[in-house]
Amino acid sequence: SNCKSKSISCISSSFVHHFITTSTSGGSERTYYNNIIMEATKQKTCVYLDYNGTTPVYPPVLEAMLPYLTDHFGNPSSSHHFGSEPKAAVNKARRSLLSLIQSVPIADLSSIMFTGCGTESNNVAIRLALLSSTHKVNKDGLLHVVTTNIEHPAITQCLNSYISGGLTPKITVTEVPVDEFGVVSSSDVIDAIQENTALVTIMTANNEVGSLQPVSEIAKICRQKHVLFHTDAAQAVGKVDLRGLADETAGADMVTIVGHKFGAPKGIAALYIRPNCLDENGRVNPEQGGSVLLMGGGQEGGRRGGTENVPYIAGIGRAADMLFEQQGDKSGLEANAMHMQKMRSRLLERITTGLEESTGKTDISRVNGPLNADQRLPNTLSIGLKGVQSGRLLADIGEVVACSAGSACHSSSGPTMSYSAILKAMKVPPEFAVGTLRLSVGPNTSLEDVDFAADVIVKEATRQLNT
């Protein structure tokens, strides 16, 4: 990435002022815009608005990792002197992650299993649920899973492998549809449960539009119905308060946590597994014979073979701790959420106002996802631009504004254009869906960043609309 300052963008105020105030007209606009790209590239400037894709490694996190890459390099499974510090770091990180999702963290640290990524955590959660619930198979030998139609591919593709019989036990799946705001009804989810339902898996927050799902309510009812409940909380950690999500009495049975979504490095994640949940209500814990995925030296309490990645584990633990450290009269989590909400609002206002002024129209943009701030992530803005193709727009601005599209256009026009399955599930009008951008801010995003990015987006969108 070309972005290298504390706030991810390294744009000088004079450069921003020059871009915003210089007037263009007629055929010179394209030449002018190309010059902006060239100048930005020379200055190595790039505003980063893709925090839902990944975050930078925050400096305190890197600092916490370094000792385990140098002095404390030992294997945490070793019984000698060099194993003690790494082992302590691993256990400290387990406690830190439990503090993210429980009102009162439990003493059983084995409930946190470290993994290599969110995909692994999700795949393991599904496999554990299915293998422990074979007593529920119906007369056709099938188990059943309930999910939504907006889940991450780490869930949907895994489930598809069991549907096809590529993996066993074979299953059927009910995908409960979300509403136009990307939110599933808890009653619809519960109504979809059958006698042979082994698992309900619902994401905590959608990665594209930021919609928050009623997972705590669903978890409570699933517990009453003796059905395992898993939630992929990858996008929610670090943005909303999840304490209580995995409380022992009525919380989720399994929770996926992903480090690189909240300031830790890529390559480290975790799966919370409620103690004894795989042994209750007729279930038989498939881990009694060892790991269900990576067989080896018996690490992670026998759940996952392979020497623990201590530096990265220390990093994800430090990232978790940062969320509850005080910043004035607020926790880090509260301060970050307030700041990100402010940046998101500014970004939306600047884009919509800019488009209205440049086009003279008020129906160019459409926000996808919940309008109520309490029902969405504070940092995520999914905005559809009618008459614009997001793929082309991103190709033109990608050197100065880093963001993502809500569509994948395969041609400049016609029926071959496609867009996100999430937007289709929400029934977003195609004219807005193909022009959708996902803009996600972070704790270090500045007003200067969002103003510059909004003006770049408005200028390029207006150019497309005028050609």
Side-chain angles (χ1 to χ4, degrees), residues 126-413:
I126 291 170
R127 186 146 188 80
L128 288 174
L130 297 181
L131 291 179
S132 67
S133 302
T134 53
H135 65 290
K136 280 192 166 186
V137 295
N138 65 11
K139 58 182 179 60
D140 298 316
L142 300 173
L143 289 173
H144 177 248
V145 175
V146 179
T147 187
T148 75
N149 60 349
I150 61 165
E151 297 298 312
H152 191 277
I155 293 292
T156 58
Q157 293 302 313
C158 183
L159 292 178
N160 285 342
S161 294
Y162 288 98
I163 293 171
S164 68
L167 292 174
T168 56
K170 198 168 183 180
I171 64 172
T172 59
V173 173
T174 298
E175 288 190 350
V176 181
V178 296
D179 63 17
E180 61 183 300
F181 301 109
V183 179
V184 73
S185 161
S186 57
S187 60
D188 288 349
V189 171
I190 300 307
D191 288 345
I193 292 176
Q194 304 172 7
E195 286 187 10
N196 65 328
T197 300
L199 174 69
V200 174
T201 176
I202 311 285
M203 59 171 40
T204 308
N206 182 259
N207 50 300
E208 285 193 33
V209 300
S211 53
L212 294 170
Q213 308 304 325
V215 289
S216 292
E217 182 180 351
I218 295 170
K220 181 178 181 179
I221 302 175
C222 283
R223 185 76 66 87
Q224 295 169 356
K225 289 182 171 288
H226 308 309
V227 174
L228 288 170
F229 178 74
H230 164 257
T231 184
D232 179 354
Q235 285 295 342
V237 175
K239 298 164 188 168
V240 294
D241 193 341
L242 297 178
R243 286 173 293 184
L245 174 62
D247 279 358
E248 279 201 282
T249 55
D253 297 300
M254 293 181 280
V255 180
T256 293
I257 300 171
V258 180
H260 76 97
K261 302 297 187 181
F262 63 108
K266 301 163 193 66
I268 184 65
L271 178 65
Y272 164 79
I273 305 170
R274 181 173 63 82
N276 303 316
C277 72
L278 301 176
D279 297 291
E280 299 171 341
N281 304 306
R283 289 185 287 268
V284 177
N285 190 344
E287 296 175 317
Q288 291 175 352
S291 172
V292 299
L293 190 63
L294 295 179
M295 280 66 77
Q299 291 86 353
E300 294 301 284
R303 283 177 161 157
R304 185 183 191 267
T307 302
E308 293 91 344
N309 186 348
V310 180
Y312 281 35
I313 290 172
I316 196 174
R318 183 70 184 97
D321 289 341
M322 288 174 64
L323 295 173
F324 299 108
E325 293 175 350
Q326 288 300 115
Q327 295 183 17
D329 61 343
K330 296 180 176 61
S331 69
L333 178 61
E334 291 170 325
N336 289 347
M338 288 182 63
H339 174 75
M340 291 188 292
Q341 180 61 53
K342 181 179 178 181
M343 295 301 101
R344 179 196 180 278
S345 298
R346 174 75 167 234
L347 189 59
L348 174 60
E349 179 185 11
R350 188 105 176 179
I351 291 174
T352 54
T353 301
L355 285 172
E356 288 176 9
E357 291 176 351
S358 67
T359 65
K361 299 177 181 179
T362 59
D363 63 345
I364 296 296
S365 63
R366 177 190 193 275
V367 174
N368 305 315
L371 302 179
N372 185 339
D374 293 335
Q375 294 181 320
R376 64 168 187 258
L377 295 175
N379 79 314
T380 305
L381 173 62
S382 174
I383 185 167
L385 308 177
K386 184 168 66 173
V388 172
Q389 291 182 22
S390 57
R392 285 175 51 194
L393 188 150
L394 292 180
D396 283 334
I397 71 172
E399 293 300 316
V400 288
V401 178
C403 59
S404 300
S407 66
C409 301
H410 302 298
S411 71
S412 60
S413 63

